Amino acid sequence: MSAPSSTLAPWPYPRWIAHRGAGKLAPENTLAAFRLGAQYGYRMFECDAKLSSDGVPFLMHDATLERTTNGHGTGGERPWAQLTQLDAGGWHSRSYAGEPLPTLENLARYCIANGFFLNIEIKPTPGQEEVTGRVVGEYAARLWQGQAVPPLFSSFKPEALAGAMATAPHLPRALLIDALWDGCFDEAQALGCVAIVCNHALWDPALVAQVHGMGMRTLSYTVNDDWAAQRLIALGTDGIITDRVDFFSPATP
């Protein structure tokens, strides 16, 4: 088991992070999902943030509306006034029919009021990477101003993290990696990242030691099996993102 390097700064976030609010138990990226995740004891959540056509950061994973709403087309091409009219819960189950898309500001106020932690994945509409990072950074800097623990930004898109760094340099950033690529850790360091968030299968003792040795924390997505979670805990990784809020206790050290 690798011990965190002495070069690592204190880490204010809990190990367990609820994916998109409550995994698959509620419609993802809705306030209903975050409330349900909180009922299972989770205190940190992951969400996806993108921009409406008029620049409002809102929560949705896909570029298109069809999978998680009753809308059609590209979400980022719709003004917020249109997006507010969509049903973002009926696709999941009847009990959630009528659940609206939340803004990032909606979720921020909920998390701050309850003392919850948030990982904001900047999930830009293709072609809007840098501007999405900039606007999400501006909003988060304003919404969390004066709070003891800031949100953690993450993105697969370095341009989005660069945008967030430009407008909110004091807020922590993490690079998401699905497969290792040449120079990825150097890129993360150039972006001032405090963490790497990997596909959980990528972590092994040497990689954990390398990333810790570079002064960055080691997080994993999306971990839904006990054997995988136990392996990551034994490796000494720092954070686990899961859909299985009903299976993993966030009190597990």
Side-chain angles (χ1 to χ4, degrees), residues 8 14 30 33-34 36-37 64-65 67 75 79 89 94 131 149 170-172 181 194-195 199 213 244 248:
L8 290 174
T30 63
F34 297 98
L36 184 60
T64 54
L65 296 163
R67 183 176 67 86
R94 290 182 183 177
V131 67
V149 179
H170 59 295
L171 298 183
W181 41 275
V194 299
N199 180 322
R244 294 298 311 275
F248 293 114

Side-chain angles (χ1 to χ4, degrees), residues 141-149:
R142 173 175 58 84
L143 293 166
W144 273 271
Q145 185 175 7
Q147 298 300 312
V149 179

Side-chain angles (χ1 to χ4, degrees), residues 49-122:
K50 53 176 28 75
L51 299 183
S52 65
S53 64
D54 49 348
V56 177
F58 71 100
L59 305 191
M60 195 172 72
H61 177 274
D62 297 7
T64 54
L65 296 163
E66 283 81 356
R67 183 176 67 86
T68 56
T69 78
N70 63 341
H72 301 280
T74 301
E77 295 176 354
R78 303 283 191 273
W80 178 243
Q82 287 185 17
L83 294 170
T84 62
Q85 305 304 308
L86 298 179
D87 176 357
W91 68 273
H92 182 275
S93 54
R94 290 182 183 177
S95 61
Y96 289 113
E99 190 69 25
L101 287 169
T103 63
L104 178 61
E105 184 161 354
N106 294 149
L107 180 59
R109 296 196 184 286
Y110 172 73
C111 289
I112 291 167
N114 289 282
F116 296 152
F117 306 93
L118 191 62
N119 168 204
I120 304 170
E121 181 181 342
I122 305 171

Side-chain angles (χ1 to χ4, degrees), residues 85-252:
Q85 305 304 308
L86 298 179
D87 176 357
W91 68 273
H92 182 275
S93 54
R94 290 182 183 177
S95 61
Y96 289 113
E99 190 69 25
L101 287 169
T103 63
L104 178 61
E105 184 161 354
N106 294 149
L107 180 59
R109 296 196 184 286
Y110 172 73
C111 289
I112 291 167
N114 289 282
F116 296 152
F117 306 93
L118 191 62
N119 168 204
I120 304 170
E121 181 181 342
I122 305 171
K123 199 77 174 177
T125 301
Q128 296 186 6
E129 289 79 9
E130 200 267 348
V131 67
T132 303
R134 280 181 171 271
V135 174
V136 169
E138 289 170 355
Y139 268 73
R142 173 175 58 84
L143 293 166
W144 273 271
Q145 185 175 7
Q147 298 300 312
V149 179
L152 173 66
F153 292 136
S154 63
S155 187
F156 288 101
K157 303 295 185 180
E159 302 91 339
L161 293 175
M165 183 169 64
T167 55
H170 59 295
L171 298 183
R173 295 170 296 281
L175 182 63
L176 275 158
I177 297 175
D178 188 52
L180 298 176
W181 41 275
D182 286 345
C184 58
F185 299 144
D186 293 334
E187 180 80 32
Q189 287 199 309
L191 290 165
C193 289
V194 299
I196 298 292
V197 188
C198 270
N199 180 322
H200 69 89
L202 296 177
W203 292 119
D204 61 25
L207 194 63
V208 172
Q210 179 183 355
V211 172
H212 277 164
M214 297 175 78
M216 294 182 289
R217 297 286 180 160
T218 52
L219 281 68
S220 302
Y221 72 90
T222 303
V223 181
N224 296 328
D225 298 300
D226 186 58
W227 65 266
Q230 294 305 319
R231 188 181 82 89
L232 294 165
I233 292 168
L235 283 172
T237 62
D238 302 292
I240 295 174
I241 300 170
T242 184
D243 291 317
R244 294 298 311 275
V245 299
D246 56 335
F247 180 73
F248 293 114
S249 167
T252 304

